[in-house]
Amino acid sequence: MEERILVVDDEKDICDILQFNLENEGYKVDLANSGEEALSILTDKHDLIILDVMMGGISGFKMAEKLRKEEKSVPIIFLTAKNTENDMLTGFSLGGDDYMSKPFSVKELIARVKSVLKRARLNRKEPQALWQYEGLTVDILNNRVTIDDVEVSLTKKEFEILSLLSQTSPNVYTRSEILSQVWGDNEFVLDRTVDVHITRLRKKLGEYSSIIVNRSGFGYYLNSEPKTTE
């Protein structure tokens, strides 16, 4: 099913540019030139909102606040001419999923759109209780990893990384996505942190260390499909 994106911006040129490029990526795109118009056409079929902050009438922040009060969880990427830390923090505190300053790179925005939609799909997906490959078992329900029925001692972060990769095997997870999912948006950590934890995790997996693959320039994935899932 094609994912549907609502672009909300009072600058027609920006709307047209985003519609052209997003449709070339295979998305369905609806346009609104104000917050009021966006609220009138927004439906449960929209998978993402690209939302300008500074518009006449209701602002992007006010629109997002209204949606979250109504418990609508549709992901939001804010666009703004402002580039201050306070504005960014405001956007995230209102339930925004990402934040880009104008002028922006269309390619970078599309990359962020894909990342946000990917996280949203995973959040909607019913998690597996168990992931197995040969003698390796990741018991997600009980936070336990075993090799040939012998428990492997992992730290909380190591287990969360392995659990995350097993849930999406064999899809690739970027370092930024792993940081967001495991450490959260409120913790300041570097991409290198992921590499360090992956190195330690591989050592603990022993003969199964090669199951975690680094796809250069992209991220990490598990190189085998699970034999058994429940």
Side-chain angles (χ1 to χ4, degrees), residues 2 10-11 18 26 35 62 66 86 90 122 134 137 153 155:
E2 288 180 308
D10 57 4
E11 296 183 56
L18 292 182
K62 286 293 184 182
K66 178 177 173 61
N86 285 339
T90 298
L122 291 172
E134 296 182 353
T137 300
S153 179
T155 66

Side-chain angles (χ1 to χ4, degrees), residues 168-227:
T168 57
S169 174
N171 295 330
V172 176
Y173 243 88
T174 67
R175 290 173 177 82
S176 295
E177 289 170 340
I178 293 173
L179 285 174
S180 176
Q181 291 289 315
V182 175
W183 277 267
D185 295 324
N186 296 324
E187 293 191 47
F188 181 75
V189 288
L190 303 174
D191 286 1
R192 177 62 180 164
T193 303
V194 174
D195 298 330
V196 171
H197 280 74
I198 292 286
T199 298
R200 293 173 181 167
L201 181 55
R202 280 173 169 158
K203 288 181 180 178
K204 292 181 180 181
L205 293 180
E207 64 181 294
Y208 291 100
S209 61
S210 62
I211 199 171
I212 303 176
V213 177
N214 178 12
R215 186 178 176 192
S216 181
F218 293 90
Y220 291 98
Y221 71 99
L222 298 189
N223 68 353
S224 298
E225 293 286 348
K227 278 192 171 182

